[in-house]
Amino acid sequence: MTFATLGALSVVRHLRRQRMRVVLSVTGVMLGVALVVATGTLATSAVQSMERVFETLLGPASIDVTGGDPGLPEELVSLVETVPGVADAAPVLFASVDVPDVPGIRLTVFGVDLLAHETMRRAQFSRAALQIVHPFDLVASMRAVVLSRTLASRLGVHAGDGLHVSTPDGSATLEVGGFLDGAGVAALFGGDVALMDLPAAQQMFHREGRVDVIQVLPVTGQEATVEPVLRTLLAGRASVGRAGVAASHLERLLLSTRVTFTLAALFACIVCAFLLRQTAMVSLARRVEEIALLGVVGFGRASITVTLIGESLLVGLVGTAAGVPIGVVLAMLCKDAFGTAIAPLVRMHIDAVKVDWTAVGAAVAIGLAMPVGVAIGPLVRAAGASPVRLLQRARGMSDGRDSRLHRVVPALGLAAASATALLNCPSSVTAFSARLALITTALVGIFLAASWCGPAVARTVGLAWRRGNHGAARAVGTLAPLVLLRVPADVGATAAAIAVALAGVLSIGALVSSLRATLPQALEAALPGDFVVSRGLPLLPSTPPLSSRIGEAVRGVTGVMAVAGHRAALGDSRGHPVVIIGYDAAVSAAHGARITVINGDERDLLLRVARREGVMVSDTFSRRFGLGPGDTVFLSTPDGERGFPILAVVLDYSVDLGTVVLDASAYREFWGDASVTSYEVWAAPDEDPRALRQRVSERIGYAVPVLTSRDMRAEFDGQLDHAMSIAYATELASGVIALFSVVNFIVVATHDRRREIALWGAIGTSRRTIERILHCEACLVGGLGGLFGVLLGGVTSYLVVRGAVPLVSGWWLEYRFPGSAALLAVPITIAVAAVSAVLPARRAARLPLVEALGTL
Amino acid sequence: MRRDEALVELSGVTKVYGEGTGMVTGLADVSLRVGAGEFLGIMGPTGGGKTTLINLIGGLDRPTRGTVRVADHQLERAPEDVIRLLRRRHIGVVFQAFNLLPSLSALENVALPLLADGLARRAAEPRARAALEQVHLVERAAARPAELSGGEQQRVALARALIADPMLLLADEPTGCLDTRTGAEMVDLLLRAHRLRGVTIILVTHDERIATACTRTVTVADGAIVADRRRPVGSTAGG
């Protein structure tokens, strides 16, 4: 009954009176919860979208057999068909083509055997859905294609029309032979899909004798027996599983991307926590008298404490309830950007958002725990404090001593410990979750240390100002800095909130700057040629390959001194996805390619790779698998598992899965794949590279981009911006939250000092001077937060680039601090604070004096 | 202002608070003239309108009806900035609850009106020190209000009110929070200020000692002036 009584008397009325503060608190919780839900939901949706793709493609088949690039030998289909209990085994080939006339469209082509496997095809493409104009032409022509109706409408093509596409051989014209309607396959990848007869697709994409998936339809009731037999039969050559085997690979692919976005959401949550704490402290300060009087009349400490905590919990409940659906909406709005972010790994289209209930659970826990957790200490202290002391505090008669001013030493200790732990993570900590926990804990420790330092910093600046500005200060210069001395804890908390948000922005900025400083240079060092012929960024497995004919055409151009063909493909090492690079080591070594060796003998390394003495592995691979020079890496090939001795560990930034680099000829031989991801071209010494580039483009019919290092850098920058767009958005949200904390501080600062501000008016201070004092206070707090943020951003950005990134992706980046952003940070935060103060200062300057002074 | 003109003149002043069923009349059709150099005490029962009257004279509030003139300024229609300028330079205010800024020292609190008037600290502090000397508190110049006793705080408040050498000093129950001895000291200081500076003092009081020291007392009850007594010429204040 006591709680209910207190709740009705105190909590509800207080919340109604403090509408703005409640709104701010709820908004803080809501934003943090929404970001966590959105991050988790996007990753889950990506995986589930891919699962749906495979389920849709799988049709009635319940088992699929898959392999990495360059696919499975087609003869495996016959082998699978011989397994008892297999009713049908249908091969499928995947490929992609660009439509040069319509930039931005990349068509996913499914090569299927249109004449066979009727049971499965009927289930996948019903008669109603598949509209073929001339069925015989479709299978007879090596260029006929069935487009989704959606795509055909977008392209404005009709049956019989030609469609120009960019293939591994360059430009080609496909003939539209029919349309695919409805949901299912036609809706995959946003409708950018096409069907071809399997042989035609194999020829067009130089995948003769290859397929990507074998869809297996077991005899009814025999699924359980067929799968293990297939697994044994195809061990080392292919993966066997239910639909979603490939999707589970995708989960691994997405891991580092997910971690990046999770860290961005973490920054935002920390800023929210600061806002909540500040709001709670302010709310508490305004109720000190009430709490004191409750104690005087006899309410117990437990009653008061539990009631106040219940109030925080109520705020958390409302914020969480609003944040979860907002997070889902956010995920819907960002799904395309997320798809772009993971494009370097795998091209996909998130067609529907599927709520990640684990992320929702985590968000709910954060949303409820945050408002209670940040306020529980001060609440318990206030509820247990002497009523007399509380009343003195309420009437501004406290002595100003604050134990929170003496936390600098423990704060510095905590910061040092957090930084040290993050930068020196033992190599024995291999579990990804453990590394993520370490990163999270270290960053939280740094921010906590910052918040502990905040009051002392504010007070120190205030004292220094007071001592140093003795003679010339007038009313504004005398009274405004007093805010640093009067409420150093509140100023410190607000400055810390701004600092954390700013640190997040600068950390993301440092990550981007460091990526820009490192990756393109590494790529240029590995690809020192004058230009590259490629359909995307070279040495990425998601870049569609080119045929050897392109290479022959390029080599035949006058003025070309050398051409190296490199292949990047997704492979498999004992069930783990890795990137395999078939690198033309001999040509590259002869023409100045530089590989940074981290571990191993770098003498004639490329030549030894060219002689097939072994392979190079990336630093990421080495950390992830615990292998180094002298060890053997096992890779799945079409002919089974094969071991390759490791010669050296090198820096490689193509993707963060882990890379194995072997000679291109070895790749061709063991994987039977003659396609090439990119051709690197060197001009003859007396050739003009620009003119040569033009001739090469002409020779290949302008069907394939010819990229200089500047083009590659621009492409990289564009992909990086897309990939980081979600992180940027998250940091923008953090900035907004930090802005709330400034507004919160100013509104409360003016309200809590009504009497003091009225006194200024009573002794004759003009309204204009009062406004200027309050503006100056806001600017001081904003400027302090900005400076603090730049310092803190320097620390956290270094920890992110040199601590978190290696742990997450294995990359070692050149650290670059975003100096220009940091320079702008302080004036921007001051400007924002000044603007935030306009209305509250105006209102405060116009207080009714008698009422505020309490002289009635 | 002419010699025979009152320094303060209220004509037909009414002040109403609230509206509807919550309406309260603080003052009803009050007229009052206070000459320069007077030491006026406003007495009366609690809730009678004493504080309302003094707030209107100080420009801290505006009348609902009627006029309030202080020196040459009609306060009921003067711009707020003009009224504040008046309070900076010509009107000092002392409150019952001292109303010092807790984060400023005694010296800085005293200097506040000069700082508000645009003076630099360098110029304001010597004058503030001199004001503290007048109230015998210069040795506590660096102390914060929390470190001062009630009497000391009120003396700082008085010094602040007098630093700009005002023509009018308003005090609302200046000894209300003080003990007998300290209150007596405060009365002495007020008398000193009145005698030496010639400042016109209008104060609200329940204190009989102050009432005796006043040259004139006005009793306010139920929003109206019910008595107005002048001390005979030749009799000494405080006796």
Side-chain angles (χ1 to χ4, degrees):
Chain A
M1 277 306 283
T2 311
F3 304 133
T5 308
L6 265 180
L9 283 176
S10 176
V11 169
V12 173
R13 288 182 193 183
H14 175 73
L15 290 177
R16 278 217 298 255
R17 276 201 311 269
Q18 308 296 322
R19 283 193 199 95
M20 184 167 172
R21 195 145 312 113
V22 171
V23 166
L24 280 175
S25 301
V26 166
T27 305
V29 174
M30 191 176 71
L31 276 170
V33 165
L35 286 169
V36 172
V37 168
T39 309
T41 296
L42 279 170
T44 301
S45 301
V47 172
Q48 296 210 349
S49 286
M50 192 54 103
E51 281 179 356
R52 270 195 293 281
V53 167
F54 285 101
E55 277 173 12
T56 304
L57 291 173
L58 208 57
S62 58
I63 300 171
D64 56 14
V65 177
T66 55
D69 290 328
L72 304 166
E74 197 170 359
E75 66 243 27
L76 287 185
V77 180
S78 311
L79 187 60
V80 170
E81 284 172 340
T82 63
V83 171
V86 172
D88 197 0
V92 182
L93 184 80
F94 301 118
S96 60
V97 293
D98 295 320
V99 181
D101 295 340
V102 187
I105 289 187
R106 182 163 277 183
L107 210 52
T108 300
V109 177
F110 298 112
V112 297
D113 194 337
L114 293 171
L115 293 180
H117 315 290
E118 195 182 344
T119 309
M120 284 206 275
R121 296 297 165 241
R122 243 206 327 264
Q124 290 170 326
F125 320 110
S126 67
R127 283 191 205 281
L130 195 55
Q131 309 281 325
I132 300 176
V133 178
H134 301 292
F136 288 116
D137 288 349
L138 189 67
V139 297
S141 166
M142 300 306 273
R143 287 286 184 266
V145 68
V146 173
L147 299 181
S148 75
R149 184 76 69 179
T150 316
L151 178 64
S153 302
R154 226 157 70 225
L155 297 175
V157 295
H158 305 92
D161 285 350
L163 179 66
H164 296 291
V165 296
S166 174
T167 70
D169 283 332
S171 186
T173 302
L174 301 178
E175 189 182 314
V176 180
F179 304 101
L180 192 57
D181 291 313
V185 175
L188 296 177
F189 298 108
D192 292 348
V193 295
L195 290 182
M196 285 184 82
D197 193 35
L198 180 62
Q202 288 171 322
Q203 188 199 66
M204 170 168 286
F205 297 105
H206 295 281
R207 305 280 298 282
E208 288 89 343
R210 294 267 177 221
V211 295
D212 288 306
V213 178
I214 302 171
Q215 297 172 331
V216 181
L217 179 66
V219 170
T220 308
Q222 295 201 27
E223 295 87 354
T225 53
V226 166
E227 192 175 331
V229 173
L230 283 174
R231 238 188 263 280
T232 307
L233 183 67
L234 300 173
R237 301 177 72 181
S239 299
V240 177
R242 301 298 165 119
V245 164
S248 70
H249 279 297
L250 181 65
E251 261 193 280
R252 290 197 204 102
L253 293 179
L254 291 183
L255 209 47
S256 62
T257 308
R258 187 171 186 166
V259 166
T260 305
F261 294 140
T262 302
L263 285 177
L266 171 68
F267 270 104
C269 282
I270 292 173
V271 174
C272 291
F274 271 94
L275 173 69
L276 284 169
R277 181 174 173 85
Q278 184 200 40
T279 308
M281 295 302 294
V282 155
S283 174
L284 183 64
R286 298 189 63 193
R287 300 173 75 191
V288 158
E289 191 167 353
E290 180 187 333
I291 295 170
L293 292 172
L294 288 174
V296 166
V297 302
F299 278 98
R301 280 186 287 186
S303 309
I304 299 171
T305 307
V306 170
T307 306
L308 294 176
I309 288 173
E311 186 178 305
S312 295
L313 202 56
L314 189 60
V315 166
L317 269 170
V318 174
T320 303
V324 169
I326 287 175
V328 174
V329 170
L330 207 59
M332 288 177 187
L333 295 173
C334 296
K335 64 182 178 73
D336 289 341
F338 192 83
T340 308
I342 59 174
L345 297 168
V346 59
R347 185 178 158 263
M348 64 169 302
H349 174 84
I350 303 177
D351 51 0
V353 162
K354 172 82 175 146
V355 175
D356 179 354
W357 292 107
T358 308
V360 168
V364 167
I366 291 171
L368 295 179
M370 213 163 38
V372 173
V374 297
I376 192 166
L379 285 178
V380 168
R381 275 196 300 273
S386 141
V388 169
R389 247 194 104 200
L390 287 177
L391 283 170
Q392 284 177 337
R393 187 177 147 192
R395 281 156 197 176
M397 291 160 57
S398 66
D399 56 11
R401 279 194 285 259
D402 193 326
S403 62
R404 288 170 290 178
L405 298 175
H406 306 295
R407 289 186 186 171
V408 175
V409 170
L412 292 176
L414 178 62
S418 301
T420 305
L422 184 55
L423 292 173
N424 296 282
C425 175
S427 55
S428 56
V429 178
T430 55
F432 210 83
S433 53
R435 290 184 176 188
L436 183 59
L438 174 63
I439 294 169
T440 307
T441 307
L443 288 175
V444 168
I446 297 284
F447 292 138
L448 206 56
S451 75
W452 289 355
C453 283
V457 169
R459 191 156 191 279
T460 304
V461 171
L463 285 173
W465 183 299
R466 214 174 136 122
R467 285 192 192 116
N469 199 16
H470 187 78
R474 286 166 168 76
V476 174
T478 302
L479 295 174
L482 287 179
V483 70
L484 301 171
L485 298 171
R486 192 181 62 250
V487 281
D490 292 345
V491 170
T494 306
I498 297 169
V500 168
L502 193 51
V505 171
L506 293 176
S507 296
I508 298 288
L511 180 59
V512 171
S513 301
S514 302
L515 285 168
R516 285 208 168 105
T518 311
L519 268 60
Q521 284 177 5
L523 196 61
E524 285 164 26
L527 300 175
D530 292 298
F531 46 83
V532 170
V533 179
S534 178
R535 288 165 69 190
L537 277 177
L539 300 184
L540 280 185
S542 59
T543 299
L546 305 168
S547 74
S548 55
R549 290 181 199 170
I550 298 285
E552 285 162 20
V554 172
R555 288 187 179 92
V557 175
T558 307
V560 169
M561 181 172 70
V563 178
H566 310 298
R567 175 75 168 114
L570 269 179
D572 182 278
S573 176
R574 295 197 160 164
H576 298 285
V578 294
V579 172
I580 300 172
I581 293 182
Y583 189 63
D584 197 336
V587 174
S588 298
H591 293 93
R594 296 186 314 280
I595 306 289
T596 305
V597 175
I598 295 178
N599 189 7
D601 186 358
E602 62 181 296
R603 288 172 302 175
D604 298 324
L605 178 60
L606 285 179
L607 289 176
R608 284 187 284 139
V609 171
R611 290 196 292 263
R612 300 196 192 183
E613 290 178 22
V615 300
M616 302 181 287
V617 296
S618 68
D619 187 34
T620 310
F621 182 97
S622 177
R623 286 174 191 238
R624 195 160 274 172
F625 295 96
L627 298 174
D631 295 324
T632 301
V633 54
F634 292 94
L635 301 173
S636 296
T637 75
D639 295 324
E641 187 178 83
R642 187 178 283 270
F644 298 88
I646 297 174
L647 297 177
V649 178
V650 299
L651 271 184
D652 174 73
Y653 299 104
S654 43
V655 286
D656 59 358
L657 271 184
T659 308
V660 179
V661 183
L662 63 160
D663 185 67
S665 64
Y667 175 80
R668 281 194 296 275
E669 180 183 331
F670 298 132
W671 277 267
D673 178 12
S675 62
V676 166
T677 302
S678 53
Y679 285 102
E680 191 180 358
V681 182
W682 282 264
D686 52 351
E687 271 300 326
D688 175 10
R690 273 183 296 190
L692 179 62
R693 186 181 165 210
Q694 179 64 24
R695 292 204 298 276
V696 167
S697 294
E698 281 173 10
R699 175 65 70 93
I700 60 178
Y702 297 99
V704 181
V706 180
L707 308 170
T708 60
S709 57
R710 183 189 277 185
D711 296 329
M712 285 193 285
R713 191 178 275 272
E715 176 76 18
F716 171 78
D717 285 347
Q719 288 205 9
L720 185 61
D721 283 340
H722 273 122
M724 299 304 283
S725 60
I726 292 178
Y728 289 147
T730 307
E731 294 319 307
L732 183 63
S734 302
V736 169
I737 295 166
L739 171 62
F740 282 156
S741 67
V742 174
V743 173
N744 197 24
F745 172 82
I746 294 160
V747 165
V748 165
T750 52
H751 195 285
D752 280 356
R753 292 185 297 151
R754 285 166 60 87
R755 196 166 184 181
E756 181 180 326
I757 295 171
L759 179 64
W760 293 348
I763 61 164
T765 311
S766 69
R767 284 172 170 171
R768 193 160 168 231
T769 302
I770 292 175
E771 285 185 36
R772 283 163 63 188
I773 291 170
L774 297 173
H775 272 123
C776 188
E777 282 184 7
C779 291
L780 271 174
V781 175
L784 190 66
L787 278 170
F788 202 4
V790 170
L791 285 171
L792 187 62
V795 172
T796 57
S797 65
Y798 186 84
L799 290 176
V800 164
V801 172
R802 283 296 174 85
V805 169
L807 279 181
V808 167
S809 66
W811 286 349
W812 187 257
L813 303 177
E814 278 184 45
Y815 173 68
R816 288 281 188 277
F817 184 69
S820 48
L823 271 176
L824 289 174
V826 175
I828 286 175
T829 50
I830 291 175
V832 165
V835 168
S836 309
V838 167
L839 283 178
R842 204 177 157 76
R843 265 201 297 269
R846 283 153 179 77
L847 278 176
L849 300 182
V850 167
E851 188 187 315
L853 280 169
T855 62
L856 281 174
Chain B
M1 195 178 73
R2 297 206 315 263
R3 270 183 88 82
D4 58 346
E5 265 187 347
L7 177 63
V8 175
E9 185 169 2
L10 282 73
S11 299
V13 165
T14 298
K15 177 65 185 178
V16 173
Y17 298 100
E19 53 190 22
T21 54
M23 194 161 67
V24 170
T25 303
L27 288 176
D29 197 24
V30 164
S31 297
L32 178 69
R33 286 166 62 96
V34 180
E38 283 199 52
F39 191 149
L40 172 67
I42 302 176
M43 304 185 72
T46 305
K50 306 185 297 296
T51 299
T52 303
L53 181 60
I54 209 164
N55 285 341
L56 291 174
I57 295 171
L60 296 171
D61 205 353
R62 297 195 191 230
T64 310
R65 281 189 296 279
T67 63
V68 178
R69 183 179 63 77
V70 174
D72 293 323
H73 301 277
Q74 295 294 137
L75 299 192
E76 74 282 354
R77 56 172 188 255
E80 179 64 27
D81 282 344
V82 169
I83 296 176
R84 291 189 184 213
L85 182 71
L86 205 60
R87 279 203 298 274
R88 281 203 297 278
R89 296 181 182 173
H90 303 300
I91 303 176
V93 185
V94 177
F95 302 93
Q96 179 179 6
F98 323 137
N99 279 340
L100 301 179
L101 296 185
S103 39
L104 294 180
S105 66
L107 187 71
E108 288 162 338
N109 268 288
V110 172
L112 215 46
L114 300 182
L115 294 174
D117 208 22
L119 227 61
R121 281 176 69 174
R122 186 182 293 126
E125 282 182 357
R127 288 174 61 177
R129 205 170 289 278
L132 277 174
E133 270 195 54
Q134 298 290 312
V135 298
H136 314 305
L137 265 183
V138 70
E139 72 280 2
R140 303 300 304 276
R144 298 262 203 95
E147 297 161 9
L148 301 172
S149 66
E152 289 171 336
Q153 288 188 57
Q154 196 63 300
R155 279 190 273 166
V156 171
L158 180 61
R160 181 181 66 191
L162 294 174
I163 189 169
D165 214 6
M167 65 173 82
L168 177 64
L169 176 69
L170 303 174
D172 190 354
E173 307 242 27
T175 61
C177 290
L178 306 177
D179 59 68
T180 313
R181 190 176 68 82
T182 318
E185 288 170 6
M186 179 58 56
V187 171
D188 286 340
L189 287 171
L190 286 168
L191 282 170
R192 236 174 104 85
H194 178 244
R195 268 202 307 271
L196 297 178
R197 295 174 182 237
V199 62
T200 305
I201 300 178
I202 302 175
L203 53 74
V204 170
T205 186
H206 285 116
D207 193 329
E208 282 300 328
R209 293 164 300 171
I210 297 183
T212 327
C214 297
T215 58
R216 176 184 170 195
T217 56
V218 156
T219 305
V220 176
D222 295 327
I225 294 176
V226 298
D228 187 345
R229 287 190 296 274
R230 288 182 188 273
R231 180 156 48 85
V233 174
S235 66
T236 48

